[in-house]
Structures are given as C-alpha cells and as structure tokens.
Amino acid sequence: MLSRRRFVQLAAAMGASLAWGGPARASRTKWRETRAMFPEGVASGDPDPTSVILWTRRPFAAGGRQMLTLEVAEDPAFGRVVAHARAPVSAAADWTTRVLVGGLKPAHVYWYRFTDADGNGSRIGRTITAPSADDPRPVNFAFVSCQDVNEGTLNAYRRMIFEDERAAPAEQLGFILHLGDFIYEVVEYPDEVKTRYDRTIYEVARIPDGGKVGHFHFPLTVEGYRAVYKGYLADPDLQDARARWPFVAIWDNHEFSWQGWQSIQQAGGISRPGQGIKVAANQAWWEYLPSRCKKSGGASWEHFEAPAVANVEIKKWDENGLGDEPNNLIAINSLIGYRALRYGKHLDLIITDQHSYHGPDPFSDDSLNKLGDWAAYDGWFPEDLQQVLDGGRAFNGGNPPAELVFGEARIPNPRKDAPPQTILGAEQKAWLKDQLKRATATWKIWGNSQGALDERVDPQNLPAGLLAKPWPSGFVNASPNDYGCAWKERGEIYDLVRDAKITGFAIVSGDRHSFWAGYATSSLPPEKFVPVGLSFVGGSLSSAGAMEALEHRPPNKFPMRELYLVDRPGASKPDWTYNMLVKHGVRSCLEYAKSFDLKRAHAVSNPELAPHLEFIDAGGHGYSTVRLTADEMRTEFVCIPRPLTRSERADGGDLRYRVVHSAKLWRAGERPKLAQRVVEGDVGLAI
Ligand SMILES: [Fe+2]
C-alpha cells in the first residue's frame, strides 16, 4: 500500500488532483445527469492496486477556473460513496480534469461521476483497480489500436462491451491496453473528399491554424490537437468503452505526426523541425488521456505547463541516433510515455514509446535506388541487404561490408559508419532491459505500438518469366519499418530474455492494421529459428488495412496480382492470397490461384519462410483479448467485417471470425508453442 505522503507526491508529479478513499456513506450531491455539458464523457486510466486516475471535461463558455465535485462509490446508485474530491477545470487545460483517487481496495469495481456547482452531472463511469501483486486469479485484458473515426466506425468497442457485459465476473476485462493511433492527426474534411477506398469520410474536426498535405489537414498547435481529440471523443462507442473500463495507453505515430520521429514533423512529403508541435501533441495527449506518464512541466495538478521550445533543425546526432539539439530534447522529454504496470501475480506489463527516441531511418538512403529497379519487384528489397543497413557499423560484429551488392549492381554501404537502427533509443532500451530482468510476474508482456513479426516473401521461388527481371536470390522482408525489420535491436532484447532465462515473455502490438500470431525470434532460416517468446499484433479497430488498399489498387500497378488477390469463381470479393504469401510463400499462392484448393496450396508451402507465424490476416479489423493464468496465455482475436458504417445492433454487428492462440508456460530453454483453435467464422487464407 502506498503511504498517504508518497501518494501526495505521486499525484503532484503526475499533475493530478487527488482524492483519498474512506468509509462509505450515501451521496449528498445533487447530481442530475446532463451529458451535453460533459460532451467527451468520462474516463479512467492506469489502475494500480489502490489507486486510479479519473477524468472528465466540463467546458464553460467563459471565465476562469471552476470547480467540479467528484464522487467515487462502490455501487452504481452512489449509496456507498468512498471518495469525494474537488476537481478543478479551466481553459488552460481545455476544461479537462484529472483526479488520482487513492486508498481504494485492490481488484475492486468502482463507479464515479462529476457534478458542477449547479448540479449538472456527467454520466456515471465504471472503473476497476488492479489486483494486488500476490493475487493468483486469472488476468483478463484487451489490446486495441488504430481507431480512425474519420474513415470508419467503432463497432468493435460495441462488440467488446456487449460480450463483457454478458461474461462471468471472473472472465470480464480488467483494462483496455490502447496501443496507439487513438487519433489520426491527419484529418479529411467530407466537403473536400467524400470517399477513400471503401470508406465514407465522416466529419471529425476542423483544425484551426493547421497545415495541409493532399486531402489531409493536420495540427500545428495545441488547439489543433485538442480539436482532433474532441472530434474523436464525440464517438459514442469510444465514450461507452472509456466509461466502462480503465484504459492504459501509449501513443503510436499519429498522436503526433504521420511519419514523424523524435520532434521532426513528417507527413506525406512534408518534413520540418517540429519541437513546438511535439510539445503541443504531448500536451493534448496528457489533457485527454488520463495516465501516470510523467510530464516535465512541473508539479501542477491542473495544467500541462508546456515548456517553451523553438522549431530548430537538428544537425547533430549522438552515437545512438538521438538528435543532439536542446529544443529536441526538451520536446521529447516533455512527456515520458514508457512505464510499467504490475497487475496481479501473473502480469508485468512493460510499455514502450516507439517514436520519441526513434533514430534516423536506415532504409531510405537515395543511393539504394542505384542498386535495383525496385518498382519491377513491387518495392521488394532483399532481406540480407536490409540487415546490413539495420546493423550499421555494428553489423557482423563490427565488420560491416564496404559495398552492397544486388545482382550485377554494387554501391558503397551507406550505413558503414552509422549507428545501428534504434526504435527505442539508448535510454529507453536500457530501461526496458532492466524492467525485463526485474519482472517477477508469471507473464512479462511488452506492450508496444509496432509489430515485431517478420513479414517475409520468397521471390527466389518464383518461376522464370513471371517477373520482368528474375530475382537474384534470397528472401524479402516487407515489414513496415517496425520491429519486424529491427534485427539488431530486437535481437538485443531477445538475447537478454534467453540469457537471463526469462520465461513467459510475450509481445502485444498494434499499428499494422492486421492480426498476427507467432513467436519472438532473433533470426529465421537460413539462420537458426530459436523462439524465446510469443508475439502478437492486433487488427485495427477501424482504420483501413493493406487488403482494402490492395483491392483498390489499379490493375496496371499489379505486376503479380495472384500473390495478393485472386478471384475465386462465384465469389463476390477476391481471396486474400497475400496472407498465404507471407505464411506459405509464392508457390502456395500460384497453386491456389490455379486450383483454389487449400490442401494442394499448403502442400507446396515453403517451410523456411515463416516458421515464426501461426496466423496472419492482413485484412482483419477488431480487437484482441488476453487471459493469463499460472500456466497459460490465451490470446483471442475477435474479427469484425470492415467497419464502414455504425452498426445499430447492440452487439455491434456480425463477426467474421474468432480465433484463439494459447500457449502453456514454458521453462527456460524450452520453445514456446501455440495451439490454434478457430472458435467461429471463416479465417480465409490466414492459417
Ligand atoms: Fe494506425
């Protein structure tokens, strides 16, 4: 239990107001639910065994600081109110408020509500404290990502709520792990663009003083980001989800900038110093997502206190790829996202930030265009050369090759003297390793926003004549610049897991807009395949994925369409052979395109391609749940149809499929093994 004094210090460091649980008594507040005055609803975040942060927004038309009353009760009728606090709101935090409520009981459901001085009340929220560290009961949580409401709807949350309300108490979710793209900062306006892919463009926000690239408007100020958060939180299903469970959140790229990294703003060809923009993004995130993330702007309970920065070009990089420019360091440290959460006996959740400390992209040097006609290969790039670029000066034990060779072409190795690629940055990586070494729960789960499973292709097995130019040799890694092609860095983490004999290691991630289940491994054939843990990627809640984009790809931009899509006679939509390509290889796709016979296609599967994969659906949307016990991790993918319009059904609409991957806890040195079960629906070519 936290001492009260320590708790006050903690609340101050987080910038939260605080309340302290005490004996129960009936509410004496004149609360009258008036949702219109709390237009973004309520939320809770980052539970521990005795405390949780509660949030709302109550805008006032004008004037200074106003005070709300917060009540926390053990029952939804507020007959047993255990905590009571004043919650200040003001324009300086865009009328949002955070209250850290302590002195609560572990693994306990609480209800909370806010009331203004005139008796106007928020909706009632529900939250749950974490179990104590020795609680042996199973842990249940969901992980989600990528909730684009500009181009889709959040039927997945409706389904999650529907199922959770009907689940036995021991099966209900304790919290929602949100792995980023809570907002998309690039916003389309429906009067400028009506559709994209299968999507209708819905009104989300008008961004004041923003920028624009193509059809996308994006924020440059805190007012711009606040407008986007308010637009997203107008979604009724997101509001209901936030009112039902505590969220534990980390940002991905779009909470700041599409292709941004550190404090550099980068979107659709625009790249500029964005220290002030990064601070604004952090401020709005802090204002709208209640969390225990530490801000640098002092101990205020009410305001972010944004540090002053100038947008200055970064010209110097340190030996680890960190931009050595004072404003950059101030901006990226204005809010520290990485943190760990203990949840009962079975879960140590370790969360990292993939963008604030990300080093320069190792794969974009202009000279690489001289090496091959990549367009002829549909953008494929050889894996062995990508590994050289990833490793930089550290490749091959510090002896990187002087040249890169592809077929007849050769160029000087542009990364010979560069630091190895980093997504985590040196300081955060050291922290992650330390957390892994110290973790004592049964399962050590690394929650990050980016996928860690290799997305590979085997064009070396294509029959002659299918490509304009034959592929010289070797595999392709098509991972979208995430941990799936960060061999050096993820290898350091996996080697630590192996050497420190850490068992129960698993990764859950997002960003890829697709469902993946498999194994964490440093290397794949022709190198050794030695998995040290499990690895999962959850589908997007709503954002368009690769298969939707491919279905809309013009036919003349498809050199080898049967490796992506095939038209089965009588089917209304093409079959997604891309899933088969990544799991089984080109021969399986070509066989399937001829015979549409899954058995025959699997008979020519390439066993060297993807021993690390059990499942890949590049077209799936929905959410994932995890159940952890003393001897098993069970991960369920709940896949819904493309969420183009809001379902009016209480259950959120149809399911496409539900598939479970479970693994028994393994001993150090043993290989983890997933068992797969399709519970309902049709997984297509995903297995
Ligand atoms: Fe996304």
Side-chain angles (χ1 to χ4, degrees):
M1 291 277 280
L2 277 178
S3 76
R4 189 161 184 157
R5 191 164 152 270
R6 172 88 187 94
F7 177 76
V8 172
Q9 290 168 345
L10 196 68
M14 288 177 355
S17 303
L18 78 166
W20 191 255
R25 59 174 174 73
S27 171
R28 275 173 280 172
T29 305
K30 287 197 176 64
W31 167 88
R32 195 176 58 250
E33 186 173 308
T34 317
R35 289 197 188 195
M37 291 193 173
F38 297 80
E40 288 74 29
V42 295
S44 67
D46 284 16
D48 77 7
T50 58
S51 67
V52 64
I53 307 163
L54 305 179
W55 177 97
T56 196
R57 176 170 182 270
R58 166 69 174 96
F60 287 83
R65 190 167 177 262
Q66 304 270 350
M67 203 57 79
L68 310 177
T69 298
L70 164 70
E71 294 171 285
V72 183
E74 290 184 321
D75 64 320
F78 288 76
R80 296 195 307 280
V81 174
V82 295
H84 206 266
R86 283 151 57 82
V89 293
S90 68
D94 204 22
W95 307 103
T96 61
T97 188
R98 289 137 289 281
V99 183
L100 177 63
V101 184
L104 301 175
K105 295 174 194 161
H108 212 69
V109 176
Y110 290 95
W111 281 265
Y112 61 95
R113 65 190 185 192
F114 295 85
T115 311
D116 72 14
D118 298 323
N120 301 304
S122 71
R123 68 185 293 171
I124 293 169
R126 171 184 175 270
T127 193
I128 312 160
T129 48
S132 52
D134 59 354
D135 190 327
R137 288 176 291 179
V139 171
N140 298 294
F141 69 93
F143 65 97
V144 299
S145 58
C146 298
Q147 54 188 31
D148 192 335
V149 299
N150 203 187
E151 297 189 345
T153 62
L154 298 177
N155 299 336
Y157 279 133
R158 178 114 333 262
R159 159 69 57 176
M160 202 193 295
I161 293 166
F162 182 87
E163 296 198 357
D164 199 55
E165 282 173 346
R166 282 153 188 81
E171 307 290 328
Q172 286 180 334
L173 301 170
F175 65 95
I176 310 301
L177 176 61
H178 200 299
L179 294 168
D181 291 355
F182 192 95
I183 59 162
Y184 284 75
E185 96 294 4
V186 278
V187 174
E188 296 152 293
Y189 295 175
D191 47 290
E192 293 178 355
V193 52
K194 291 199 161 32
T195 60
R196 194 168 82 101
Y197 303 146
D198 284 1
R199 311 299 178 121
T200 301
I201 305 304
Y202 298 112
E203 177 72 34
V204 167
R206 300 282 151 158
I207 298 175
D209 303 319
K212 195 177 180 195
V213 57
H215 284 303
F216 295 109
H217 298 259
F218 53 81
L220 299 168
T221 65
V222 70
E223 279 306 330
Y225 285 103
R226 286 167 168 173
V228 181
Y229 278 99
K230 281 177 277 207
Y232 271 67
L233 288 170
D235 184 275
D237 298 314
L238 175 56
Q239 276 200 20
D240 287 355
R242 294 230 297 181
R244 179 165 177 82
W245 300 285
F247 274 50
V248 177
I250 185 66
W251 51 82
D252 192 30
N253 53 327
H254 282 292
E255 284 84 349
F256 165 47
S257 173
W258 188 358
Q259 292 115 349
W261 53 290
Q262 296 187 28
S263 65
I264 297 167
Q265 191 218 23
Q266 208 167 306
I270 294 174
S271 180
R272 65 176 129 194
Q275 284 88 341
I277 307 169
K278 175 71 173 172
V279 171
N282 279 349
Q283 174 168 353
W285 194 92
W286 179 87
E287 288 172 346
Y288 280 86
L289 281 95
S291 84
R292 291 179 201 256
C293 296
K294 285 193 198 72
K295 66 189 179 76
S296 67
S300 164
W301 298 10
E302 295 181 37
H303 312 131
F304 183 72
E305 297 169 304
V309 286
N311 295 328
V312 177
E313 192 192 340
I314 302 169
K315 292 188 173 140
K316 249 175 61 202
W317 305 88
D318 78 5
E319 57 181 23
N320 298 306
L322 184 66
D324 192 2
E325 191 287 314
N327 295 277
N328 180 51
L329 300 178
I330 293 169
I332 62 181
N333 289 318
S334 64
L335 189 65
I336 305 295
Y338 59 88
R339 62 201 192 276
L341 186 118
R342 175 67 185 241
Y343 202 90
K345 191 169 163 43
H346 303 309
L347 173 59
D348 272 312
L349 178 61
I350 307 166
I351 298 167
T352 57
D353 168 354
Q354 280 52 245
H355 295 280
S356 303
Y357 320 102
H358 195 304
D361 177 1
F363 308 123
S364 61
D365 197 275
D366 285 342
S367 67
L368 298 171
N369 291 323
K370 294 190 209 126
L371 202 50
D373 178 10
W374 307 122
Y377 302 122
D378 206 15
W380 292 342
F381 189 83
E383 181 179 62
D384 55 346
L385 297 188
Q386 213 178 346
Q387 288 172 342
V388 174
L389 296 168
D390 169 68
R393 63 178 178 231
F395 184 77
N396 187 31
N399 290 299
E403 288 191 316
L404 302 184
V405 181
F406 181 70
E408 305 294 297
R410 54 184 61 222
I411 58 164
N413 176 1
R415 300 259 310 150
K416 200 170 77 65
D417 302 311
Q421 173 180 212
T422 183
I423 295 175
L424 293 163
E427 200 175 320
Q428 181 178 224
K429 184 159 49 189
W431 173 88
L432 168 61
K433 289 180 179 173
D434 188 50
Q435 291 295 313
L436 281 169
K437 277 191 275 191
R438 295 197 317 191
T440 55
T442 313
W443 297 94
K444 295 91 183 166
I445 297 195
W446 176 17
N448 70 55
S449 65
Q450 297 215 307
L453 287 161
D454 300 59
E455 182 168 346
R456 281 178 128 195
V457 186
D458 59 349
Q460 67 272 36
N461 291 338
L462 281 170
L466 207 78
L467 285 171
K469 279 184 200 169
W471 183 260
S473 70
F475 289 102
V476 160
N477 182 303
S479 308
N481 281 17
D482 55 12
Y483 293 109
C485 55
W487 292 273
K488 177 80 175 59
E489 184 153 78
R490 73 176 196 207
E492 276 182 54
I493 308 300
Y494 298 168
D495 288 353
L496 168 85
V497 169
R498 181 197 60 204
D499 297 343
K501 300 188 170 14
I502 295 167
T503 62
F505 170 68
I507 301 171
V508 295
S509 41
D511 177 67
R512 286 190 180 181
H513 303 184
S514 45
F515 284 111
W516 302 63
Y519 306 96
T521 177
S522 290
S523 50
L524 287 168
E527 308 295 315
K528 271 196 290 194
F529 168 57
V530 190
V532 298
L534 308 172
S535 191
F536 301 94
V537 183
S540 75
L541 286 162
S542 60
S543 314
M547 297 319 303
E548 188 174 339
L550 287 166
E551 286 176 7
H552 286 264
R553 195 168 170 179
N556 62 351
K557 295 259 169 75
F558 252 129
M560 299 159 286
R561 186 167 183 270
E562 58 270 60
L563 303 183
Y564 301 86
L565 300 167
V566 298
D567 303 304
R568 188 158 38 88
S572 58
K573 284 272 196 182
D575 284 356
W576 297 338
T577 36
Y578 188 70
N579 293 340
M580 185 177 263
L581 177 69
V582 173
K583 182 145 174 21
H584 296 283
V586 296
R587 288 182 178 134
S588 295
C589 292
L590 297 177
E591 173 57 43
Y592 187 80
K594 240 180 7 206
S595 65
F596 298 100
D597 184 328
L598 206 53
K599 246 200 184 132
R600 286 173 68 161
H602 286 171
V604 290
S605 174
N606 179 358
E608 303 273 282
L609 174 70
H612 64 303
L613 287 184
E614 299 286 358
F615 188 92
I616 179 242
D617 180 7
H621 302 279
Y623 62 93
S624 312
T625 64
V626 174
R627 178 174 172 80
L628 303 170
T629 65
D631 67 349
E632 190 186 55
M633 175 172 180
R634 180 187 184 280
T635 306
E636 179 171 306
F637 295 153
V638 182
C639 181
I640 60 167
R642 215 164 269 173
L644 306 177
T645 56
R646 185 165 187 247
S647 168
E648 291 307 324
R649 269 166 48 183
D651 65 359
D654 293 337
L655 278 190
R656 264 189 63 214
Y657 59 78
R658 185 191 306 272
V659 61
V660 170
H661 291 91
S662 43
K664 292 285 174 209
L665 183 65
W666 56 94
R667 281 191 291 267
E670 283 181 351
R671 278 191 185 193
K673 182 72 195 137
L674 287 166
Q676 182 178 73
R677 192 162 64 91
V678 179
V679 179
E680 60 179 301
D682 180 2
V683 299
L685 304 182
I687 59 178

Short mmCIF file of all heavy atoms in Angstrom, two decimals, residues 146 181 184 511 513, ligand 1:
data_model
loop_
_atom_site.label_atom_id
_atom_site.label_comp_id
_atom_site.label_asym_id
_atom_site.label_seq_id
_atom_site.Cartn_x
_atom_site.Cartn_y
_atom_site.Cartn_z
N CYS A 146 -5.50 1.86 -33.42
CA CYS A 146 -5.87 2.37 -34.74
C CYS A 146 -7.38 2.56 -34.91
O CYS A 146 -8.05 1.79 -35.60
CB CYS A 146 -5.30 1.46 -35.82
SG CYS A 146 -3.49 1.43 -35.74
N ASP A 181 -2.50 5.26 -32.07
CA ASP A 181 -3.42 5.78 -33.06
C ASP A 181 -4.81 5.91 -32.43
O ASP A 181 -5.82 5.49 -32.99
CB ASP A 181 -3.43 4.98 -34.36
CG ASP A 181 -2.12 5.14 -35.14
OD1 ASP A 181 -1.27 5.94 -34.70
OD2 ASP A 181 -1.95 4.48 -36.18
N TYR A 184 -6.05 10.06 -35.38
CA TYR A 184 -5.22 10.29 -36.56
C TYR A 184 -5.16 11.80 -36.74
O TYR A 184 -6.20 12.44 -36.95
CB TYR A 184 -5.81 9.60 -37.80
CG TYR A 184 -5.54 8.11 -37.76
CD1 TYR A 184 -6.27 7.29 -36.91
CD2 TYR A 184 -4.52 7.55 -38.51
CE1 TYR A 184 -5.99 5.93 -36.83
CE2 TYR A 184 -4.24 6.19 -38.44
CZ TYR A 184 -4.98 5.39 -37.59
OH TYR A 184 -4.70 4.06 -37.51
N ASP A 511 -0.53 -1.06 -34.81
CA ASP A 511 -0.01 -0.30 -35.95
C ASP A 511 -0.20 -0.94 -37.31
O ASP A 511 -0.39 -0.24 -38.30
CB ASP A 511 1.49 0.02 -35.74
CG ASP A 511 2.10 0.74 -36.92
OD1 ASP A 511 1.70 1.90 -37.16
OD2 ASP A 511 2.94 0.16 -37.63
N HIS A 513 -2.55 -2.74 -38.63
CA HIS A 513 -3.91 -2.87 -39.16
C HIS A 513 -4.14 -4.30 -39.65
O HIS A 513 -4.70 -4.52 -40.73
CB HIS A 513 -4.17 -1.87 -40.29
CG HIS A 513 -3.95 -0.44 -39.90
ND1 HIS A 513 -4.20 0.63 -40.73
CD2 HIS A 513 -3.52 0.12 -38.73
CE1 HIS A 513 -3.92 1.76 -40.11
NE2 HIS A 513 -3.50 1.47 -38.90
FE FE B 1 -2.85 3.10 -37.41
#
